[in-house]
Amino acid sequence: MDDRGGGSFVAVRRISQGLDRGNTCHSTSAEVVAGSAAWLGRGLSCVCAQRRESDARPSFDLTPAQEECLQRLQSRIEVSYDSSIPEHQEALRALWNASFPEEELRDLISEQWKEMGWQGKDPSTDFRNYPKSFQDLLRKQEGDRALWEYPFAVAGVNITFMLIQMLDLEAVKPRSMAGAIFLKFLSENESAFDLLYCITFKLMDNQWLAMHASYMDFNTVMKSTRRQLERELLLEDVSRLEDLPSYSLLTR
């Protein structure tokens, strides 16, 4: 997606608690919602790498369990947010309550959402399994912060986009080693994408602080985050997402 606001975004919402493990997929009450790229805001376009037709990339065969898990995740990506669906409305209320538990949300379409960093009035994304990390990121409570900080909600949208591209989640099967490794994790734990999203958000914020970044440095920070995440996924001693060095950044 370019800086002109074309395309669309996908934001992840997490409902269920805990992380299931097993050799096959288990459905969870998690959902993905999609919307207009206008949410991204000026200066915070998606910085995901663009594919070129000339790129020679390997293709990895999937086991039946991995194929099933990938299809389930892809079906989540295809779900569009619909304000007329009660479950989607409840997702927004749950997000607000997790973010501002002491402040009542006056309406689902409200200027109050701008307190979270949305450019408009109608959002969706969640970090509920790690409430302390969620609040630290939302309120920028850690480190020496910049005068012009990244908007929390917009950062979440960009992270979701970046992960979908980096892991080839819209392809029939992965064409990168990182994507193949992730599908192994996904077949063992269907909540793997939700967990990786949380890890990536904390990693991005950690990179932001280390680089002493400000608003206009967001794209550079996102690129650095992607490179670091790819390196960690390829480490020999990583057999699950909890083994990633950046997992230690999360706090419940």
Side-chain angles (χ1 to χ4, degrees):
M1 190 180 66
D2 60 26
D3 293 339
R4 295 169 296 181
S8 62
F9 72 76
V10 182
V12 175
R13 175 171 76 86
R14 177 66 188 274
I15 299 176
S16 61
Q17 297 286 343
L19 297 174
D20 298 331
R21 286 204 164 274
N23 293 325
T24 59
C25 284
H26 303 282
S27 61
T28 64
S29 53
E31 192 169 85
V32 170
V33 292
S36 167
W39 288 112
L40 295 180
R42 183 174 302 173
L44 290 181
S45 59
C46 185
V47 296
C48 310
Q50 299 297 313
R51 294 196 183 104
R52 296 171 297 182
E53 293 298 326
S54 60
D55 285 349
R57 306 177 67 184
S59 180
F60 297 86
D61 292 329
L62 305 181
T63 66
Q66 290 173 337
E67 185 175 354
E68 179 186 355
C69 290
L70 178 58
Q71 290 172 352
R72 286 184 183 275
L73 185 54
Q74 288 173 338
S75 69
R76 291 174 57 191
I77 293 172
E78 293 172 359
V79 175
S80 298
Y81 176 76
D82 186 340
S83 60
S84 67
I85 297 178
E87 288 82 0
H88 292 192
Q89 297 174 15
E90 183 58 31
L92 291 185
R93 292 189 182 95
L95 172 60
W96 179 266
N97 291 334
S99 305
F100 306 103
E102 298 180 358
E103 182 178 351
E104 181 181 359
L105 179 64
R106 293 187 291 272
D107 191 30
L108 287 180
I109 300 178
S110 171
E111 293 288 335
Q112 289 175 278
W113 289 110
K114 293 183 179 180
E115 297 178 33
M116 193 182 294
W118 291 100
Q119 307 298 315
K121 304 177 182 180
D122 196 2
S124 57
T125 200
D126 200 351
F127 220 84
R128 209 164 59 176
N129 282 324
Y130 296 91
K132 186 179 186 305
S133 289
F134 181 89
Q135 290 296 326
D136 288 345
L137 291 166
L138 174 65
R139 302 177 188 277
K140 308 296 192 298
Q141 293 177 336
E142 294 183 338
D144 184 14
R145 313 304 307 201
L147 178 62
W148 293 95
E149 282 284 330
Y150 63 85
F152 172 82
V154 174
V157 169
N158 274 265
I159 287 170
T160 305
F161 241 138
M162 183 265 283
L163 290 175
I164 289 172
Q165 286 200 343
M166 184 185 82
L167 302 173
D168 289 317
L169 295 182
E170 293 181 309
V172 175
K173 52 186 176 180
R175 290 169 290 181
S176 68
M177 184 61 72
I181 291 171
F182 172 76
L183 278 187
K184 175 183 178 296
F185 299 153
L186 185 65
S187 66
E188 298 169 349
N189 172 15
E190 197 184 8
S191 298
F193 184 86
D194 306 75
L195 177 56
L196 187 60
Y197 172 87
C198 297
I199 293 170
T200 306
F201 212 136
K202 281 293 290 185
L203 173 60
M204 184 277 294
D205 190 70
N206 193 62
Q207 299 270 44
W208 177 275
L209 292 172
M211 297 169 67
H212 304 286
S214 187
Y215 186 88
M216 297 308 295
D217 301 315
F218 183 79
N219 288 358
T220 300
V221 174
M222 283 292 293
K223 291 175 182 177
S224 176
T225 300
R226 173 170 176 162
R227 288 193 296 268
Q228 178 63 27
L229 190 61
E230 288 176 322
R231 284 194 291 266
E232 292 190 13
L233 284 169
L234 297 178
L235 292 174
E236 291 185 0
D237 57 349
V238 171
S239 60
R240 56 178 188 155
L241 289 176
E242 290 86 343
D243 295 331
L244 294 176
S246 293
Y247 175 79
S248 63
L249 298 172
L250 286 174
T251 51
R252 293 185 181 273

